[in-house]
Amino acid sequence: MKDRIQTTDATIRQAIRSRLAASHAGEDAVIVDELKVSLGSGRLDVAVINGRIDGYEIKSDRDTLDRLTRQSVMFGAVADRMTLVVGQRHLQRSLGMVPDWWSVLLSTTARDGSIRFKTIKRGRLNRSQDKIALIETLERDEIVAILAWANLDRGFQSANYKVLADRAAASMSRDQIALSVKKMLKIRSRLAFDFGDLAFGRSVIDCAVPSS
């Protein structure tokens, strides 16, 4: 135990992004860091956005679990699937802190410094996304755009954020909102990928683009 090398957020993040990029290569999917939820009060460490929002929350050996319960509620309102990527130090305690539908992936550091993953628990699809929570992953102009796609924007183009969010939630089904949000997040991500936009910095992986 004394010889075990502690995992860090940075090493896990790099390894999980590489793993996801390989598994989604060639797909219509984007991988982003720090996806804002709840108007920015929470952030998914890593997210894959394709037909679903697959979130990955990292808790390395050097992290704490202080925010995990609150994060599980916020992320559960948005993500279709969630995976906790956890260091050995926090494994046992964290298993009792995340909902049953979450997957749990153990992360350890080998002697050569490489990160290894082991599936501890396989989760399932989340059926409890919330309309407003999904909308709150978007910026104001993005909500106007999804209303326009649904022909619901007339008279609302200059409305404030809350009015726009309420308009979408009242007039669109959860499935319509979820589909529109994923479409918009892909557009935002690919703009960031192409132009280095500050929304996701330069960290976006566009899986549809062959790696160089």
Side-chain angles (χ1 to χ4, degrees), residues 18-211:
S18 296
R19 175 185 170 111
L20 292 170
S23 64
H24 292 282
E27 297 179 8
D28 179 20
V30 293
I31 300 168
V32 300
D33 285 347
E34 306 294 336
L35 175 63
K36 293 189 293 184
V37 300
S38 297
L39 298 176
S41 61
R43 293 172 185 261
L44 278 166
D45 284 329
V46 180
V48 180
I49 304 161
N50 46 24
R52 301 191 298 252
I53 297 176
D54 286 356
Y56 293 79
E57 177 59 23
I58 297 168
K59 296 298 182 187
S60 75
D61 290 317
R62 297 184 184 179
D63 290 326
T64 72
L65 301 181
D66 294 348
R67 297 181 298 155
L68 184 56
T69 299
R70 178 171 175 266
Q71 288 171 323
S72 69
V73 174
M74 287 192 294
F75 301 157
V78 171
D80 294 278
R81 288 187 182 272
M82 278 298 304
T83 299
L84 176 67
V85 189
V86 64
Q88 184 70 57
R89 177 188 172 200
H90 297 305
L91 176 60
Q92 291 306 314
R93 183 180 170 212
S94 65
L95 285 171
M97 297 178 67
V98 294
D100 288 342
W101 61 272
W102 283 43
S103 297
V104 178
L105 199 61
L106 174 64
S107 172
T108 56
T109 305
R111 290 186 181 276
D112 64 0
S114 62
I115 296 293
R116 296 177 179 175
F117 296 112
K118 178 182 178 182
T119 300
I120 302 300
K121 184 169 80 72
R122 294 190 184 277
R124 60 181 185 273
L125 278 174
N126 175 29
R127 304 293 185 184
S128 302
Q129 291 101 326
D130 178 79
K131 285 184 179 184
I132 290 292
L134 283 164
I135 293 165
E136 287 179 349
T137 63
L138 301 180
E139 304 294 336
R140 181 194 172 278
D141 289 348
E142 293 172 333
I143 304 176
V144 174
I146 70 170
L147 288 172
W149 290 339
N151 294 315
L152 296 168
D153 61 320
R154 185 174 180 180
F156 286 85
Q157 292 92 339
S158 61
N160 65 36
Y161 192 101
K162 185 178 186 308
V163 170
L164 291 168
D166 288 345
R167 168 70 166 170
S171 305
M172 301 172 69
S173 70
R174 189 176 68 179
D175 287 348
Q176 287 177 310
I177 289 171
L179 183 65
S180 298
V181 164
K182 291 161 197 171
K183 180 178 178 180
M184 183 56 68
L185 289 175
K186 283 184 187 179
I187 291 171
R188 186 202 301 177
S189 302
R190 287 179 168 135
L191 286 172
F193 179 84
D194 289 337
F195 300 106
D197 185 89
L198 293 178
F200 293 124
R202 296 184 181 274
S203 66
V204 172
I205 298 173
D206 187 345
C207 300
V209 176
S211 59

